[in-house]
Amino acid sequence: MSRLFSIFVAFVASFLLIGSAHAEVKVLTSIKPLQLIAAAVQDGVAIPEVLLPPGASPHNYALRPSDVRKVQSVDLVYWIGPDMEGFLPRVLKGRTLPTVAVQDLPGMKLRHFAEDSQSHAEDADEHDHDHRPGTLDAHLWLSPINARVIATKMVADLSAADPDNAARYQSNLKAFDERLDALDLRLKARLASVAGKPYFVFHEAFDYFEDAYGLKHTGVFSVAAEVQPGAQHVAAMRTRLQEVGKTCVFSEPPLRPRLAETLVAGLPVKLAELDALGGYTPATTQGYEQVLEKLGNDLAGCLESL
């Protein structure tokens, strides 16, 4: 009996050792775009988690106790940085496991809000500090160049934590790079016909994407999605819409700003949406490309219909 028991104990111990050797590396990202990049890197190995639910704002999300526990327990955390997720630094101080603020990665091509940005005209004191001239534009995931840098860092981290799957991570990175090359060609072809056409946005979130594909918004109604512009600014922007004529005004889902209909009433202006976060995009291998391609299609589709 004792011999059988010893064999049983040895079997269980070996099983646990094997299981621990192949334990899944748990990855948590703050926002959906980072989850989609991680999903491409982890394809066939694991599915990364995301902290913010669809429709939640990364600027002012309120963490639940379960969110805090998750942040503390996962193996790797990726976030943009304090210029985007202002609610996270206090919680991250308690982490002992690796945490990566991607805005600090070497090789990132970062932009800053311009001193002459139209989004700061006349009522800048009503806006939050996150979008003031000279501060970092943290919507950096909308640049394919930055997505490659982020994916490369994730591969390095995962390969170190899970060397058994290092070859798979490298293969996934190569495939991701190739898909981004193809996406870049498609987007350049899709957007070439609308380059130079005027359009307006409610939130200054798309400069990285515009810079990559030769676009430029004509004006901004509010620098942050949660901030309502002042009456003087609204009047000035309505005058600008009248001067431009046929154009598109883009808001972000899930909610269209309350003043949108009033702002464009009686003008040859179309209201449409651009989704910078892709909150409802499934965490699949090609999710990141789907977000950028939809962004390009939605923008071009509205401008072409004028």
Side-chain angles (χ1 to χ4, degrees):
M1 179 66 71
S2 60
R3 177 176 172 76
L4 288 175
F5 181 75
S6 298
I7 293 173
F8 174 75
V9 170
F11 172 78
V12 170
S14 63
F15 178 80
L16 291 175
L17 286 171
I18 292 171
S20 63
H22 296 279
E24 178 183 307
V25 178
K26 294 185 181 299
V27 172
L28 175 68
T29 69
S30 59
I31 59 175
K32 173 64 74 169
L34 294 181
Q35 184 197 27
L36 299 178
I37 297 172
V41 167
Q42 290 189 284
D43 180 42
V45 180
I47 298 175
E49 295 185 83
V50 64
L51 191 60
L52 268 67
S57 169
H59 293 296
N60 57 10
Y61 182 65
L63 287 167
R64 300 166 299 180
S66 59
D67 294 328
V68 175
R69 290 192 295 270
K70 185 179 294 184
V71 168
Q72 299 297 345
S73 65
V74 296
D75 300 300
L76 292 166
V77 169
Y78 295 92
W79 63 310
I80 300 297
D83 291 276
M84 177 60 69
E85 307 97 328
F87 63 90
L88 264 181
R90 181 177 57 83
V91 178
L92 291 174
K93 284 182 180 178
R95 263 184 66 82
T96 57
L97 296 167
T99 300
V100 178
V102 301
Q103 70 179 44
D104 297 329
L105 293 177
M108 295 292 285
K109 303 298 183 184
L110 300 179
R111 299 178 58 87
H112 292 76
F113 292 109
E115 293 292 337
D116 60 350
S117 173
Q118 295 186 50
S119 61
H120 302 279
E122 301 181 6
D123 61 331
D125 59 330
E126 298 183 29
H127 297 150
D128 68 0
H129 70 281
D130 292 332
H131 292 68
R132 285 181 179 167
T135 60
L136 177 69
D137 181 350
H139 305 87
L140 51 82
W141 65 87
L142 292 178
S143 163
I145 293 174
N146 289 340
R148 295 177 196 267
V149 174
I150 294 167
T152 300
K153 171 60 174 172
M154 288 177 172
V155 166
D157 293 342
L158 286 163
S159 296
D162 179 20
D164 288 345
N165 285 307
R168 180 61 184 260
Y169 298 134
Q170 289 291 343
S171 175
N172 288 344
L173 178 62
K174 183 175 183 293
F176 184 60
D177 282 336
E178 291 172 352
R179 292 198 306 274
L180 287 188
D181 287 339
L183 173 67
D184 189 58
L185 293 175
R186 293 197 304 274
L187 285 173
K188 285 176 178 175
R190 181 75 177 93
L191 295 165
S193 64
V194 298
K197 286 193 174 185
Y199 62 93
F200 296 77
V201 295
F202 269 97
H203 178 204
E204 194 166 15
F206 306 98
D207 287 21
Y208 285 94
F209 185 82
E210 293 172 341
D211 184 60
Y213 296 105
L215 306 169
K216 180 60 182 173
H217 57 267
T218 304
V220 182
F221 295 113
S222 178
V223 293
E226 303 82 8
V227 179
Q228 290 296 318
Q232 189 176 9
H233 189 58
V234 172
M237 294 310 292
R238 182 168 168 82
T239 299
R240 188 77 180 99
L241 285 173
Q242 292 171 326
E243 294 170 350
V244 169
K246 290 184 178 180
T247 188
C248 293
V249 174
F250 295 100
S251 60
E252 291 181 83
L255 298 176
R256 177 173 290 174
R258 293 189 300 273
L259 62 85
E261 301 290 345
T262 302
L263 189 66
V264 305
L267 300 178
V269 175
K270 288 192 174 183
L271 293 174
E273 289 185 340
L274 296 177
D275 188 358
L277 284 168
Y280 291 94
T281 306
T284 60
T285 313
Q286 299 185 32
Y288 176 78
E289 299 100 278
Q290 291 169 2
V291 170
L292 263 62
E293 191 140 38
K294 186 176 189 305
L295 198 61
N297 286 335
D298 289 345
L299 197 153
C302 186
L303 293 175
E304 288 170 347
S305 70
L306 296 174

